[in-house]
Each structure stands twice: as C-alpha cells, then as structure tokens.
Amino acid sequence: MSAATASHTGKPTACLALADGTIFYGQGFGATGTTTAELCFNTAMTGYQEIMTDPSYAGQVVTFTFPHIGNVGVNAEDDETSAPVAAGMVVKWDPTEPSNWRSTGHLVTWLSQQGRIGMGGVDTRRLTRAIRHQGAPHVAIAHDPEGNFDIEALIAQARAFSGLEGLDLAKDVTCDKSYRWDEMRWAWPDGYPKQTSPRHKVVALDYGAKRNILRCLASAGCDVTVLPATATAQEVLSHAPDGIFLSNGPGDPAATGQYAVPMIKEILDTTDLPIFGICLGHQMLALALGARTIKMNHGHHGANHPVKDNETGKVEITSMNHGFAVDAASLPDGVIETHVSLFDGSNCGIRMDDRAVFSVQYHPEASPGPMDSYYLFERFSDAMAARG
C-alpha cells in the first residue's frame, strides 16, 4: 500500500481508497460519509458545475486536473439537470471564495446540500497517472471531519464495487414522464429565451439528457418533446415527430440497449425519419445498426479533444465524456465512420449512407467546452426540412 500526503499541515479529513490498495489523503468538503464509484479524470478548465450535474457521470467520482475548482461559485442556470449526478469530486486545491457576477452560492455549500463528497489537497497529477496506467479504478471516497478512517474497510468497499460494465444507469437518470422543452441557448443579456416559432417536431429520448442539448435543439427551430428512456416505438411515433433525437447518458450501452435498441430498430424499419444521436445515443444507434461497443481503458473526459471529420478533413475541438466507445471495425456495410478522435483513433461519429441518420460520440452542445460543432444541430434541422 502506498500513501499520498495531503498538502495541509492538519490531520487529513478525507481519504480516497483505490481497489488496488493505493490510498490518497486530503481535506474533505461538502457532504460527509462514504461512497463507492468508478474514478475518472476530466481535463476541462471550466464548467465544473455542468460536469457535476451531467447525468453521464452517474456512478463516477471526477478528478479535476485543473486546480482552480470552485472559483466562480455555483448558480442554478448552469445546472445540466436538477441536482448533481456525479458521486463526488477530487481536486488539487480547496475551493476558494467565489468571484463571479453570476455566482449565487459556494461550491462547498452546494455539494453539502446535495449530498456529494469533495476532497482537496490531492496530488491530482499522480492520481491521473494512476487512472491512465491501470484504467478507471473502482474507489471508495470518505469524508470524516474527525479524520477517522478504517482503511482496510475502504479498500474492501472499493473492491466490492460492481463497476459500470453491464450496468444500465439510464433508467436511474431518465425523466419519470414526458415533458415539453422550449428554452433556447443562453444569450446576453436576457439569459435563456423561449422558442416561440418552432419549425420541426422532435421527440428526444432521455437516456440522461443534458439541458444544453435540449436548448440547442430548440435554438435550431425544434419543438421538443422529451420521453423516458424506456419509451416504445409506438409511444415515440404517437407524437407524429419530424425527427428523433437520442440523448447522452451513463452506464454500459449494451445494458441500456436491451430495451433501447429494439425501439430504434423499429423506428428505422418502419419510418424514414431523420435520427440524430449524441454520446450514449450515438452508441445506441450504432448497436441498432449492427455494430458493437467496447469498454475503454480510462475513457475520454474533457473539453479539448480534437476530432477529425473524415468527410471534410476539418478538425473540431470538442467536449467529451464517455467510458465506452463504438468499435469501428464492427460497423456494417451502409454505415460510414464520419469522425475519429485524433488522440487515439477511436470512433467519434457515424452516418447511414442513404438516409439522414447520424450520430457523434462527443458533445456538440459543449457546456462546458468549445462551440465548434453546433452545426450538427442545424444539420439535423435541415434534414427534417428536406424531408418536408
């Protein structure tokens, strides 16, 4: 067993135990207690609140490689869902007092209110190297203001964590019932305007949809109806949509695909509707078309990922958050690989060669991240317009 020393002179009040027995000590903040999860790292330099509330992070503790976490506080407008979904956060420096005109609260208070553990004073470079070398490890993270930790018990809890493979988490984060969405992207000085003259009716399947994705659809002229992840093809088509959107989400795509893939196949077999998928939605579409997905070593989590469009040669800087990927070698005839990661060559996009059915692994809505890929929402809108 090895140990990392906290950057503080006082007694550590937080402990991170990896399943291999490695221990990191630090200073706890936010909620107290213990939780188990998969550990990942995120390289984004902004948007920690959006990351913590991204449903795709269900079942994961996020290590932030950027040290200035908490410096802009929190505000309700930046939530990607109603409450934090990530299990906890690990940072290098303790959150500072917020300094931002949009801030309405402190990160530490927000985490405490939402029952999420934070841990500072950690050598996040060393921790990130551990994640890269061994793959996303199973961990137990504990916060005790008295600094009392049963190390052997924490390691045992980390080892007992089931992991994300074979786990359907979309059912845990999807909506309970259908709802309409008309809020568009944020714009100065009015915030989030409403879509009052939509041109297309879109049904969005919620596998863990981020709010900014729905805003981008609305900004592209869509009247959006969101349905739960388990909606049937009949329920989808009962809304007479002009197009179908497949959202992002957490967990193993093969597990969610048990019910999502048959629905998508039925839509593909019985209609010619345009379909657009993002992240888990990309993986659901690929599975429905006959491809397979694979677990990645440590995944892609950040806002600086270069992706090449194979059809134009253009390189986009993108936001990513996924631990599984579509196996490009498994793509069937009639399905074209449109985008690839320039970090590792993994698949980042597909389309059917004869229909307006396409998807991307990355997050074109950003939040946080660059806006290079907003055009994909317009492409979806154009496909619905062309269908008439």
Side-chain angles (χ1 to χ4, degrees):
M1 180 186 299
S2 59
T5 303
S7 62
H8 300 65
T9 57
K11 185 178 182 180
T13 59
C15 178
L16 181 73
L18 278 60
D20 70 353
T22 303
I23 303 297
F24 287 79
Y25 291 103
Q27 297 298 313
F29 54 88
T32 58
T34 304
T35 190
T36 57
E38 180 181 275
L39 183 69
C40 68
F41 66 87
N42 188 296
T43 58
M45 297 176 67
T46 186
Y48 54 81
Q49 183 181 342
E50 292 94 324
I51 290 166
M52 290 297 293
T53 55
D54 180 350
S56 297
Y57 279 106
Q60 293 180 297
V61 167
V62 183
T63 300
F64 288 87
T65 62
F66 187 66
H68 300 286
I69 301 300
N71 57 336
V72 296
V74 294
N75 70 83
E77 285 191 336
D78 288 346
D79 286 343
E80 286 296 338
T81 191
S82 58
V85 181
M89 65 161 55
V90 179
V91 300
K92 181 174 178 59
W93 295 335
D94 289 349
T96 59
E97 287 298 314
S99 177
N100 186 275
W101 66 275
R102 296 179 67 235
S103 175
T104 59
H106 198 294
L107 173 62
V108 172
T109 304
W110 182 72
L111 289 172
S112 181
Q113 292 170 341
Q114 301 295 342
R116 294 298 188 268
I117 296 173
M119 178 179 176
V122 177
D123 183 348
T124 51
R125 286 189 176 185
R126 180 185 168 212
L127 186 54
T128 298
R129 286 198 300 270
I131 297 170
R132 290 181 62 89
H133 290 162
Q134 65 179 269
H138 298 172
V139 300
I141 184 171
H143 175 202
D144 178 4
E146 302 301 318
N148 298 318
F149 303 108
D150 184 337
I151 299 302
E152 295 304 322
L154 289 174
I155 294 172
Q157 289 179 54
R159 290 174 177 169
F161 178 65
S162 64
L164 300 185
E165 286 192 76
L167 201 59
D168 173 26
L169 291 175
K171 285 183 179 178
D172 295 338
V173 298
T174 190
C175 56
D176 294 328
K177 58 184 179 181
S178 65
Y179 62 93
R180 298 281 294 278
W181 186 274
D182 62 1
E183 189 176 87
M184 298 193 294
R185 289 196 300 259
W186 193 93
W188 172 265
D190 299 320
Y192 297 114
K194 299 292 185 180
Q195 172 58 266
T196 57
S197 54
R199 302 183 301 278
H200 315 295
K201 293 178 63 176
V202 169
V203 166
L205 277 302
D206 176 15
Y207 304 122
K210 293 173 64 179
R211 289 173 174 173
N212 213 50
I213 289 178
L214 302 179
R215 293 184 187 113
C216 287
L217 289 170
S219 292
C222 300
D223 176 0
V224 183
T225 299
V226 183
L227 296 186
T230 54
T232 65
Q234 290 75 17
E235 289 169 334
V236 171
L237 296 177
S238 70
H239 293 272
D242 300 313
I244 310 294
F245 175 76
L246 310 173
S247 86
N248 64 293
D252 188 336
T256 303
Q258 292 296 314
Y259 54 86
V261 165
M263 181 278 294
I264 298 169
K265 283 184 176 180
E266 187 171 344
I267 297 288
L268 288 168
D269 290 342
T270 59
T271 79
D272 64 348
L273 291 171
I275 299 177
F276 176 29
I278 288 174
C279 192
L280 183 60
H282 163 69
Q283 296 162 0
M284 291 299 95
L285 179 62
L287 290 172
L289 292 172
R292 62 177 178 267
T293 56
I294 52 177
K295 183 77 164 70
M296 304 175 76
N297 179 63
H298 54 272
H300 290 163
H301 309 277
N304 61 341
H305 286 254
V307 168
K308 181 180 179 181
D309 184 330
N310 288 334
E311 299 182 298
T312 65
K314 177 183 176 182
V315 175
E316 304 165 30
I317 304 303
T318 71
S319 179
M320 286 197 184
N321 172 27
H322 58 105
F324 293 81
V326 173
D327 181 0
S330 70
L331 292 173
D333 292 342
V335 179
I336 297 170
E337 182 176 50
T338 57
H339 298 78
V340 295
S341 166
L342 293 184
F343 278 160
D344 59 14
S346 60
N347 174 264
C348 287
I350 61 173
R351 70 171 177 86
M352 294 185 70
D353 63 1
D354 60 350
R355 293 173 59 177
V357 173
F358 64 99
S359 60
V360 291
Q361 182 63 74
Y362 53 94
H363 284 263
E365 83 288 349
S367 192
M371 303 175 184
D372 297 22
S373 307
Y374 273 175
Y375 70 90
L376 290 168
F377 294 96
E378 296 299 333
R379 178 178 294 178
F380 182 46
S381 179
D382 291 344
M384 289 185 285
R387 182 173 177 269

